[in-house]
Amino acid sequence: VNLQIMRKNNLVDLSLFLLIAKIGKTRGLKGEFFLRSFVENSENLFSFKRFYALSPSTMEEVHFEYMKQSNSNIIAKLKSFNDIDEIKAFGQKDIYILKSELPSLDSDEVYWFELEGMEIINLEGQHLGLVHEVSNFGANDVLVVKPAKKQLKNILIPFIKNRVIISIEKSKNSILVDWQEDY
């Protein structure tokens, strides 16, 4: 991957990357650390081949010697970091993958990050706003929608397929919902 392509005005274009993990606390003296995964199923994390960390001026590829599950934790080690001081100096960096390296999905499936910015339209044809983020407040995933009408506060729409979420149209960048603006 040519890292020059990924830069805009000397800044890294983060829209090409997906944050999937963070280097956590060190473990032992040989450069191991706990890896905090943001992937729903850690098996998926192990399936990626190339990882990147943001340095001050560029996105650099980082090479894992290994990642392994240990109870509920993931323990990892980067190649060329062989003691606790080296990994501490490297820091608790965010770990990214290139979005282009994600497995492709069926036409009716989307990644959460793809929902952000999609327009929400209800069955009455009202434009409710744009998806700001996907959150989880306990029971199920929720779309946090920035409303089309500025004076309204965010609209929270439960992500329940076939009941609230009627369809997701990637090509139209929109989501059809059975929901009212004042719920």
Side-chain angles (χ1 to χ4, degrees), residues 37-101:
S37 172
F38 303 132
V39 179
E40 198 172 348
N41 175 351
S42 52
E43 292 300 310
N44 293 344
L45 186 66
F46 303 142
S47 69
F48 297 114
K49 303 281 178 268
R50 302 177 78 164
F51 300 90
Y52 302 87
L54 196 55
S55 71
S57 61
T58 185
M59 190 66 89
E60 60 181 315
E61 189 166 352
V62 290
H63 301 279
F64 282 89
E65 193 169 305
Y66 56 80
M67 267 184 233
K68 58 189 179 193
Q69 194 80 39
S70 172
N71 302 324
S72 61
N73 295 315
I74 298 171
I75 294 170
K77 183 175 177 309
L78 293 174
K79 288 180 184 165
S80 76
F81 288 85
N82 296 312
D83 69 52
I84 187 169
D85 296 326
E86 289 176 341
I87 195 64
K88 271 188 176 165
F90 189 67
Q92 296 194 358
K93 290 190 161 85
D94 290 334
I95 301 295
Y96 297 85
I97 58 166
L98 273 168
K99 288 177 182 175
S100 59
E101 294 182 6

